[in-house]
Amino acid sequence: MAKKELKSDGIFFTGKAADDVTGSQYLVRFGSKKILLECGLHQSSSNDYLDSYKINAEKFNFRPSEIDYLFVNHTHIDHVGLAPRLVKEGFHGKIITTYNTAMIMKPLLYNSCAIIQDEARILSKRYGRNYQPLYSEDDVAKTLSLIEIYDEYGKIYDLDDVVSFQWFKNSHCLGAAQLQLILKNGSKTRKVLYTSDLGALHTDNHYLENTEIPDVFSDVTIIESTYGEAKRNSKKKRSFDIAHLKSAVDTVLERGGSAIFPCFSFSRTQEILTTLYDIYGVHEDFCTPIFVDSKLSCDISALYSELLHDSDLDKWSKVCEWENVHFISEKEESRSVVADNKQKIVISSSGFCTNGRVVSYLKKYLADRNSMIIFSGYVGDNPSYLSYRIKNYRENKFIKVNKEMVKNRADCITLSTFSSHANFNDLVRFGSSLNTNKVILVHGSKEAKRCLAQKLSDAISKNNKTYRVLESFKGMTVKL
Ligand SMILES: [Zn+2]
Ligand SMILES: [Zn+2]
């Protein structure tokens, strides 16, 4: 166990996301209880896996066996992907989450496990020593068996004498919630609000409810700051991006090319597919096939049919029954779709193009001047992301895809309004409208936190409030 440990009631910023946008993990200690707010994997941008392996294999700053509860606010790998290692190292408490998050967590964690095992194999071969995978399928199964579902938003649930909590709505993705912990020890009560990743206050995405600004008092509020830089404040509306998307796809199809959408398997894939249905589903003469090519994307898309209700389910069913759509789960079938020279629209993972089947499509279609790569949302902030290079290196004649130099001829556009994160304005509005004593910014670059902290402080005093804004760093502690 590391030297630093929280000795009294407080919050300990233990994970990488105290410094960065990935690897969320915060330890709360109160009375006799220890609570972990998420347990995310640090996701590296490059395909040299050693850095992220080292970070993800780092010793926990606490004894996993002493943690009573692990809260999972939403099921993205950078928020839950390290949970099986926590279990492997002795955690046997309860994992508290919503129903939708629990259901989507299953395919996501098994997929993460497969990637982790691949990476360990590659590292062992590359460096000639034995890199053990961080966890196994058994650890994933054990993790899933510890889940307890609490599904009602706004309701206060008592877990024991010390720990109660409630969820608040969050449009970040299906199942996402903000968490308020209500902690009691004798006469002492403390409340901690943790937003996790925060979706837009008025979301344009399908199948989601708007993020709410919780109307409750919190001693401490922990807010994400992914888009904390003012330059991320786009005035663009979704309607602009939809028109842009339509004209781009029309152009590509007219000139005989294909359109490739690198998309994350959960949420963005379903959103882009639904948007294409909204645009082209009504046109009977629209006959271009649309391939959703990723096993995980197929599994999660199938889950959507079980998890959605009412008008959302009706809509999603229409999308899935659209005759143009083909879900490609098997690798063999994927290879033949890649090899086929017919025009197509492809939605494939991963969104950052670091790995996954989208890489095979990029190797082929980047070189085709009639085709187009269409990004939606964040493409990474440095050249180690292939998505970043494709977007920003328009002048380069070649782009390195894995180890191969590929001709860089295809067009490329980015649809920025498709992000699942609150934009700068929403973050400022959210963070300055709270009833709290202290705001702590996490899950953002240094610059993003600095910029947001400044803007928030101004907005808070404009709102005649007095609470302070702190920028987190890994290892920081805050007393409760
Ligand atoms: Zn997220
Ligand atoms: Zn995140």
Side-chain angles (χ1 to χ4, degrees), residues 108-253:
L108 242 120
L109 283 185
Y110 279 114
N111 181 263
S112 167
C113 182
I115 293 173
I116 273 170
Q117 290 180 342
D118 270 356
E119 291 180 354
R121 220 173 293 130
I122 292 168
L123 283 175
S124 301
K125 212 173 136 197
R126 192 178 290 162
Y127 296 102
R129 48 174 285 202
N130 185 17
Y131 286 90
Q132 281 296 314
L134 298 168
Y135 51 81
S136 66
E137 290 201 351
D138 277 355
D139 300 318
V140 173
K142 267 187 227 152
T143 303
L144 297 170
S145 75
L146 298 175
I147 290 176
E148 272 192 16
I149 289 164
Y150 295 84
D151 211 35
E152 226 178 288
Y153 288 73
K155 178 173 171 173
I156 295 178
Y157 291 107
D158 300 320
L159 294 175
D160 57 45
D161 291 345
V162 178
V163 185
S164 304
F165 76 97
Q166 67 187 128
W167 300 126
F168 290 100
K169 283 180 187 157
N170 184 352
S171 69
H172 180 59
C173 59
L174 205 62
Q178 306 173 59
L179 165 73
Q180 190 188 46
L181 281 178
I182 303 162
L183 305 164
K184 287 190 200 112
N185 190 10
S187 59
K188 183 177 172 184
T189 302
R190 291 289 183 274
K191 296 178 179 181
V192 177
L193 180 67
Y194 172 49
T195 64
S196 189
D197 289 356
L198 205 56
L201 293 174
H202 296 285
T203 183
D204 290 314
N205 292 326
H206 295 82
Y207 318 122
L208 299 170
E209 284 192 74
N210 287 334
T211 293
E212 62 185 309
I213 301 175
D215 187 16
V216 290
F217 169 77
S218 304
D219 294 276
V220 178
T221 304
I222 304 170
I223 307 182
E224 70 120 318
S225 50
T226 313
Y227 286 171
E229 282 185 276
K231 66 177 185 193
R232 303 307 298 253
N233 188 22
S234 166
K235 294 264 183 313
K236 262 195 237 159
K237 293 221 157 59
R238 178 62 63 88
S239 53
F240 173 89
D241 263 351
I242 290 174
H244 194 187
L245 169 63
K246 184 176 183 322
S247 74
V249 171
D250 287 349
T251 307
V252 167
L253 297 182

Side-chain angles (χ1 to χ4, degrees), residues 429-445:
R429 209 183 122 207
F430 184 97
S432 62
S433 311
L434 298 164
N435 182 5
T436 188
N437 283 339
K438 202 178 280 167
V439 163
I440 300 169
L441 302 179
V442 297
H443 200 289
S445 66

Side-chain angles (χ1 to χ4, degrees), residues 400-414:
K400 200 171 176 189
V401 180
N402 289 348
K403 291 199 173 89
E404 217 175 287
M405 295 305 278
V406 177
K407 280 187 185 144
N408 184 25
R409 286 177 169 158
D411 278 335
C412 169
I413 61 166
T414 304

Side-chain angles (χ1 to χ4, degrees), residues 10 29 38 69 85 90 113 152 156 183 194 245 255 267 284 318 356 360 368-369 376 403 422 426-427 445 459:
R29 180 178 181 151
E38 304 189 318
Y69 305 106
R85 207 198 113 207
C113 182
E152 226 178 288
I156 295 178
L183 305 164
Y194 172 49
L245 169 63
R255 66 192 187 197
S267 231
E284 275 177 19
K318 280 184 192 150
S360 309
D368 175 20
R369 61 177 86 252
S376 44
K403 291 199 173 89
D426 274 2
L427 286 176
S445 66

